[in-house]
Amino acid sequence: MEGYDVDFFGIHYLFRDLIRAFMKRINEQGEEAIRITHEQFGFLYAISKNKNDVIQQDMAEFMKKDKSVILRTIDSLEEKNLIRRVVSKNDRRKNCLMVTKAGTRVIENYLKIGKEIVNEIHEGISEVDLKIFYKVVRQFKDHAGRL
């Protein structure tokens, strides 16, 4: 776009800094002794929000990650007792992923801390500006999804 100084790395650093602030806060005040990466949290959260059975093989496509990366993530979360694999009722060759009670507690704790951080970040910014910001971020997300 002409007339705009597009700073791709500025956007990247903004999101990186937000994730770092979140992870720092988790490490400082997290009630759960279990620590996971933001990628693992995204994976765990995606499983928890899915109303249907979450098939292990489908997660690579959903998360847009290589199958080997997904398998390592599953193994790591299972070792921490945050998810478990259950043989599918419909097809014994497939494993379904389920969030454990410990996983649910981790999700709740992370969401609570995330909400606190968002509230702090929003301080001093008008409601109108926030609405515009989030509208633009959604547009960025939609456009990036088409790339």
Side-chain angles (χ1 to χ4, degrees):
M1 268 198 297
E2 287 188 44
Y4 288 95
D5 181 20
V6 178
D7 184 4
F8 171 80
F9 293 103
I11 295 169
H12 166 80
Y13 292 133
L14 166 67
F15 290 115
R16 184 204 62 193
D17 290 349
L18 289 173
I19 290 169
R20 277 189 180 163
F22 175 75
M23 295 311 289
K24 181 180 177 196
R25 184 74 56 90
I26 288 291
N27 289 328
E28 289 173 353
Q29 73 181 45
E31 296 169 15
E32 288 290 326
I34 298 168
R35 301 287 184 246
I36 58 177
T37 67
H38 70 275
E39 295 253 338
Q40 290 172 332
F41 174 76
F43 189 89
L44 186 63
Y45 186 73
I47 294 170
S48 75
K49 288 301 176 188
N50 201 319
K51 302 291 184 222
N52 303 317
D53 287 344
V54 178
I55 305 299
Q56 179 176 319
Q57 293 91 326
D58 297 339
M59 286 306 290
E61 184 178 318
F62 177 75
M63 298 295 290
K64 296 177 176 47
K65 299 283 184 188
D66 185 71
K67 288 182 182 180
S68 63
V69 171
I70 294 301
L71 187 57
R72 283 193 303 273
T73 303
I74 292 169
D75 289 344
S76 176
L77 291 173
E78 193 172 39
E79 284 175 19
K80 295 174 183 179
N81 193 34
L82 302 178
I83 63 171
R84 63 185 169 101
R85 294 178 182 138
V86 178
V87 176
S88 172
K89 297 174 213 158
N90 302 329
D91 187 345
R92 296 183 47 80
R93 297 170 293 175
K94 295 182 179 180
N95 285 323
C96 295
L97 302 172
M98 301 179 74
V99 177
T100 64
K101 288 181 183 178
T104 299
R105 284 193 306 274
V106 167
I107 291 169
E108 289 169 353
N109 187 41
Y110 278 42
L111 290 176
K112 178 182 147 245
I113 291 171
K115 187 173 185 174
E116 291 170 4
I117 289 172
V118 167
N119 287 338
E120 289 175 34
I121 290 170
H122 285 178
E123 282 181 23
I125 302 172
S126 75
E127 189 75 26
V128 171
D129 287 344
L130 286 171
K131 284 181 181 180
I132 292 169
F133 170 76
Y134 283 110
K135 178 182 177 186
V136 171
V137 168
R138 279 191 299 276
Q139 289 172 338
F140 279 166
K141 181 180 181 285
D142 291 345
H143 290 213
R146 291 183 283 201
L147 298 178

